[in-house]
Amino acid sequence: MTRTKRRAPTQKGKSEEKPKASLQDKLAKLGIRSEFDLVLHLPLRYEDETKLTELGELKPGESAQIEAAVLASEIQYRPRRQLVVQVGDGQHVLYLRFFNFYPNQQKQLQPGTRVRVIGELRSGFFGDEMVHPRYSVIRSGDSTPLPERLTPVYPTTAGLAQSALRQNIARALEKLDLSDTLDATVLADLHLKPFAECVRFLHAPPPGAPLQALEQRTHPAWRRLKFDELLAQQLSMRKFRRARAQRRAPSLPAGRQLTQQLLRSLPFQLTAAQHRCLAEIRHDLAQPHPMRRLLQGDVGSGKTIVAALACAQAIDAGYQAALMAPTEILAEQHFRKIDALLSPLGIATAWLTGALRRKEKTEAIERVASGSAQLVIGTHALFQGEVKFKKLGLAVIDEQHRFGVAQRLALHDKGAAKRKGQTIEPHQLMMSATPIPRTLSMSYFADLDVSVIDELPPGRTPILTKLVSDARRAEVIERVRRACGAADEFAIQPAGRQAPAANTAVGVGAQAYWVCPLIEESESPSRAAKAADLQLQTALDTFATIQKTFPYLRVGLVHGRMPAAEKAHVMQGFQSGAIQLLVATTVIEVGVDVPNASLMVIENAERMGLAQLHQLRGRVGRGAAQSVCILLYQSPLSETARERLRIIFENSDGFEIARQDLHMRGPGEFLGNRQSGVPLLRFADLERDVDLLEAARKLADQLIEQRPEVAERHIERWLNAREQLLKA
Ligand code: ADP
Ligand code: MG
């Protein structure tokens, strides 16, 4: 009977035969992969089992440990099945209630048994009780001494008992060499305590230890661990940077003709900040080692032209350059602008995106392969299968935070070439308008060189931001009407009057964006698809409404699901002024540059993140006219939404917004793709522990220079297998 049952391939049979998750699997779930990870698995909190409380001294609501004898035990069925155990010390009695229990628990808790119990007292209907206390049986003649230290409570996972974790951690603490990686003098200078002392303390502090400082991780023992973690991060970043200096890249000398010609042909002067960043890039490109530089600058600070000048240097030296942008719209815009600058200088630029027709694509790919295209601009299509560069010297990645690590590496690998058995890599310039707060650039981005364009081109008037409740929509509509120059001329005309044809003189007024409400994206593919459908529908609905609301304005629509050619057509119409009011989804968030647009309305602004709002708002304020950004919101606002709107209202500086964003969300979300798969800092908090970060940076420099063996041991202890991951 049993045999047939077992052989039958039933669902049940299968699950019964499935081996239980091993201890190793469970530990891995907690991120514990080595014995040292066990040492670093620190308690969430502690329980005090070091003393016993008399039954008569117990206070309701407080957790305490008692010792007592079992007086009676029975299973009750009302109101639900439970094991009720009465214990007492001769004077007072107490009930212990267990709703989930094993049959042998009742056997274990026979009258007369002595137990040690930890739990929280509460006053029940039948008297004092503890619900689901932890307990241990004291066998006769065996007087287990009370522990001398606080008992750690660890973060754990299903099926892994605290006791098992404690045992394993205690064993690792005993077995491993925990001797310090840092000298006593260094520690003294930094007011840090020895490593071994600190971890032992954290796993088992003595009674009376300052629980609050432990919980808030401000205790000196915590500070030592945070410091070590930050030091390991700093050291490994420096190591990669050094390793990069050993690798080869083509040296692209500065100061040839093309860059100068391009500079002279610009309709404006570079700002001092642009000049400084360009000089840094030009110097790097001339080195025979690969550049990894991040060009940071707030929205509208003029990164594109700096990138174009860098490309010119590569082309001047006889190499190709590639510029990759995250969206079709942005790639197209870059192509139009840069090609207009470079083609008069005799430079051939190719355009390559996934949306090209087969024939155009093949042609572009051929031009890239033969080298007849000196500059290639496109989307991620740039590193796909068939693309082969003749001689790539520089890869520029715009809005780098939009790309995953894998995508950036793919472009990089495409460009790498073998010469005389050695790999020659292209230089890499990454650009981002998402400002990275200082603490992040000192930690996660410490392996990159960073140039910052910290001033805007002259002649810009700050954008006026207004928060307007959706209830006051009518006023907003009036404002758009007036800004686009329609009010005086047409508003009083009877409806039905012909709107001016698209080819009549443009420029009656300014141009405006109307940004559609955002539909929340979803992780699950089926729901994500639904959200995308809904987003499209919302865009179409908004467009229809806006067209009806502004019958005399030339209204256009652009959204993410449009065919690329259509998108390009609409954007061109907006650029030329043929479209006055552009209804758009957040596809316009990155990079779009139409200086005549000076008004933006964002619907349901409360649904958007800070970085997104800042990026969107940055689409206006690009010309000399006073620009206005109206954030329409739907009441009531959640606490976070209110806070976000306050921040965006009060701040125009992208760095400050990013800093506050980091404060609200923590680095995990902030870093997005860059660190996917890489454990974030576990102990240190970049905002609160800036002093430790600064100290770690200084010491990292010293160690790498003077004590490489110490640096190596520290990295080994903290990162071992993880190190690979940090490199991308
Ligand atoms: P972002 O840094 O956001 O990518 P862009 O490169 O798109 O900014 O530049 C924003 C606008 O500023 C563009 O219209 C560009 O032509 C213009 N611009 C760039 N540099 C200068 C400058 N030095 N003086 C005046 N206008 C500039
Ligand atoms: Mg840009």
Side-chain angles (χ1 to χ4, degrees):
M1 185 66 204
T2 333
R3 271 174 59 183
T4 35
K5 220 182 191 175
R6 214 180 271 158
R7 271 186 198 165
T10 59
Q11 213 47 36
K12 193 159 176 252
K14 255 190 208 161
S15 72
E16 271 171 6
E17 275 167 34
K18 203 164 104 187
K20 274 198 193 162
S22 69
L23 176 68
Q24 215 169 8
D25 293 341
K26 288 180 205 155
L27 290 175
K29 263 198 192 153
L30 297 171
I32 301 172
R33 285 182 193 83
S34 68
E35 286 182 303
F36 189 67
D37 285 340
L38 279 168
V39 170
L40 293 184
H41 193 67
L42 295 177
L44 285 174
R45 58 187 178 85
Y46 304 93
E47 272 171 4
D48 191 348
E49 298 178 7
T50 60
K51 52 181 184 289
L52 292 173
T53 306
E54 296 293 328
L55 260 61
E57 308 279 307
L58 290 173
K59 292 193 191 70
E62 275 179 22
S63 182
Q65 177 172 239
I66 55 157
E67 227 178 79
V70 174
L71 304 177
S73 86
E74 61 165 349
I75 296 176
Q76 291 179 1
Y77 291 89
R78 297 249 161 101
R80 55 182 273 210
R81 188 166 177 271
Q82 54 185 288
L83 174 63
V84 181
V85 180
Q86 190 190 34
V87 298
D89 64 357
Q91 288 176 331
H92 299 86
V93 294
L94 183 68
Y95 293 93
L96 313 179
R97 289 182 193 280
F98 301 91
F99 294 107
N100 301 306
F101 58 93
Y102 298 108
N104 74 346
Q105 265 178 296
Q106 193 191 6
K107 261 188 236 144
Q108 213 181 28
L109 294 169
Q110 289 301 316
T113 315
R114 284 196 71 74
V115 283
R116 203 172 271 171
V117 184
I118 298 176
E120 191 180 295
L121 185 78
R122 66 177 208 190
S123 298
F125 186 68
F126 297 104
D128 287 347
E129 60 182 29
M130 284 181 180
V131 177
H132 264 285
R134 289 198 295 121
Y135 72 93
S136 56
V137 170
I138 303 173
R139 267 168 274 143
S140 56
D142 168 18
S143 65
T144 323
L146 289 169
E148 285 166 16
R149 300 269 166 166
L150 299 185
T151 310
V153 180
Y154 294 105
T156 188
T157 179
L160 183 57
Q162 285 293 332
S163 54
L165 257 176
R166 280 179 200 144
Q167 262 175 26
N168 280 286
I169 291 171
R171 209 176 300 140
L173 279 169
E174 212 147 273
K175 180 173 153 196
L176 288 188
D177 168 18
L178 300 178
S179 63
D180 228 288
T181 49
L182 304 177
D183 292 347
T185 46
V186 171
L187 293 181
D189 276 354
L190 294 167
H191 306 290
L192 293 172
K193 293 244 168 5
F195 176 76
E197 187 183 307
C198 291
V199 278
R200 295 220 164 89
F201 181 93
L202 290 173
H203 282 289
L211 290 178
Q212 202 182 354
L214 285 172
E215 195 175 315
Q216 290 174 355
R217 303 187 170 191
T218 52
H219 189 276
W222 269 108
R223 284 179 56 83
R224 172 65 207 265
L225 270 98
K226 291 172 173 189
F227 179 81
D228 276 21
E229 178 179 48
L230 290 165
L231 181 65
Q233 186 193 42
Q234 294 295 319
L235 287 171
S236 71
M237 295 278 187
R238 276 163 182 69
K239 227 178 92 182
F240 292 132
R241 188 190 279 265
R242 295 200 148 206
R244 175 147 51 83
Q246 306 299 315
R247 307 207 306 258
R248 307 279 309 169
S251 158
L252 311 170
R256 300 256 186 97
Q257 249 176 323
L258 189 57
T259 323
Q260 298 309 323
Q261 279 178 337
L262 179 53
L263 269 174
R264 275 199 299 273
S265 74
L266 292 178
F268 49 72
Q269 299 269 311
L270 292 190
T271 61
Q274 283 171 315
H275 269 301
R276 177 173 36 76
C277 293
L278 184 61
E280 288 164 0
I281 295 166
R282 296 180 60 126
H283 172 266
D284 282 4
L285 291 177
Q287 309 307 311
H289 312 294
M291 167 177 84
R292 290 285 173 280
R293 190 170 278 278
L294 179 66
L295 177 61
Q296 250 184 275
D298 208 345
V299 184
S301 60
K303 295 182 290 293
T304 319
I305 190 62
V306 175
L309 285 157
C311 291
Q313 182 163 335
I315 296 165
D316 234 357
Y319 281 82
Q320 288 172 301
L323 170 62
M324 178 163 80
T327 67
E328 301 262 345
I329 290 183
L330 190 52
E332 148 98 29
Q333 178 186 288
H334 280 329
F335 174 69
R336 249 186 309 107
K337 291 196 168 180
I338 295 175
D339 189 44
L341 287 171
L342 292 182
S343 68
L345 307 180
I347 304 302
T349 304
W351 186 33
L352 187 55
T353 77
L356 285 186
R357 261 172 276 146
R358 189 69 237 164
K359 191 163 151 266
E360 296 167 314
K361 199 172 192 175
T362 315
E363 195 197 306
I365 289 174
E366 267 168 27
R367 290 175 61 212
V368 174
S370 72
S372 77
Q374 291 148 294
L375 174 63
V376 197
I377 297 178
T379 56
H380 53 273
L382 284 188
F383 58 76
Q384 270 155 12
E386 323 141 77
V387 183
K388 269 213 180 67
F389 291 91
K390 175 88 190 299
K391 212 179 169 192
L392 186 64
L394 167 67
V396 182
I397 296 155
D398 195 13
E399 309 286 349
Q400 67 95 21
H401 57 288
R402 291 287 180 124
F403 291 100
V405 171
Q407 289 172 306
R408 279 189 281 128
L409 287 180
L411 179 59
H412 176 264
D413 292 346
K414 272 275 172 208
K418 279 251 186 273
R419 214 167 306 145
K420 292 186 196 140
Q422 208 173 18
T423 308
I424 314 279
E425 304 172 35
H427 297 278
Q428 218 178 73
L429 177 66
M430 289 160 263
M431 304 200 283
S432 177
T434 298
I436 300 159
R438 203 175 62 98
T439 46
L440 284 190
S441 62
M442 289 194 307
S443 50
Y444 291 104
F445 293 84
D447 59 330
L448 301 179
D449 297 298
V450 181
S451 295
V452 184
I453 307 185
D454 53 6
E455 69 181 310
L456 293 179
R460 303 249 173 99
T461 326
I463 305 165
L464 207 62
T465 302
K466 298 185 176 245
L467 294 177
V468 180
S469 152
D470 200 55
R472 290 167 50 204
R473 209 179 174 80
E475 290 166 44
V476 174
I477 288 170
E478 185 49 33
R479 171 141 210 156
V480 173
R481 204 190 294 279
R482 229 180 296 137
C484 294
D488 309 335
E489 233 178 311
F490 304 118
I492 46 170
Q493 300 288 339
R497 194 203 130 122
Q498 282 288 299
N503 60 0
T504 55
V506 207
V508 191
Q511 289 169 278
Y513 295 97
W514 191 290
V515 181
C516 299
L518 182 73
I519 305 299
E520 242 100 343
E521 278 171 28
S522 177
E523 293 279 298
S524 101
S526 67
R527 267 199 258 139
K530 243 181 237 154
D533 285 344
L534 209 55
Q535 183 73 69
L536 174 61
Q537 194 51 50
T538 311
L540 295 173
D541 292 348
T542 311
F543 179 57
T545 316
I546 295 292
Q547 263 185 323
K548 245 185 254 155
T549 314
F550 303 102
Y552 305 118
L553 290 183
R554 298 181 298 274
V555 184
L557 169 69
V558 63
H559 60 75
R561 296 257 211 114
M562 258 177 178
E566 208 176 313
K567 245 189 263 177
H569 181 72
V570 175
M571 288 312 295
Q572 226 145 11
F574 192 54
Q575 188 94 48
S576 72
I579 292 171
Q580 291 168 289
L581 179 57
L582 182 65
V583 176
T585 57
T586 51
V587 292
I588 57 147
E589 163 189 347
V590 280
V592 170
D593 184 38
V594 180
N596 191 47
S598 60
L599 175 62
M600 171 174 281
V601 180
I602 303 179
E603 282 204 69
N604 284 115
E606 79 279 0
R607 291 187 195 164
M608 295 185 189
L610 275 172
Q612 192 163 36
L613 285 171
H614 180 63
Q615 289 275 343
L616 278 169
R617 182 172 61 179
R619 298 310 113 212
V620 294
R622 297 184 155 239
Q626 167 73 70
S627 285
V628 178
C629 178
I630 299 175
L631 305 175
L632 270 176
Y633 64 84
Q634 202 94 44
S635 304
L637 288 174
S638 72
E639 199 59 41
T640 3
R642 182 183 303 276
E643 181 62 10
R644 278 202 302 256
L645 291 179
R646 181 190 66 73
I647 293 171
I648 200 78
F649 177 73
E650 285 177 1
N651 295 282
S652 58
D653 175 8
F655 280 82
E656 183 53 27
I657 292 171
R659 202 188 61 76
Q660 301 207 25
D661 202 15
L662 176 68
H663 177 74
M664 278 183 76
R665 297 192 299 166
E669 271 187 71
F670 200 92
L671 291 166
N673 270 331
R674 176 173 162 84
Q675 297 297 326
S676 51
V678 179
L680 295 170
L681 292 170
R682 277 179 289 177
F683 305 133
D685 173 332
L686 286 179
E687 236 185 310
R688 286 171 33 181
D689 303 321
V690 183
D691 62 324
L692 291 174
L693 175 56
E694 302 271 12
R697 285 181 68 185
K698 248 192 237 151
L699 183 60
D701 281 334
Q702 264 177 33
L703 290 179
I704 291 257
E705 285 299 326
Q706 299 159 15
R707 309 280 309 277
E709 73 292 346
V710 173
E712 211 38 60
R713 180 159 176 245
H714 192 83
I715 293 177
E716 173 65 33
R717 167 174 281 180
W718 275 81
L719 296 173
N720 48 57
R722 276 168 227 253
E723 203 177 10
Q724 258 336 84
L725 285 169
L726 282 162
K727 202 162 60 176

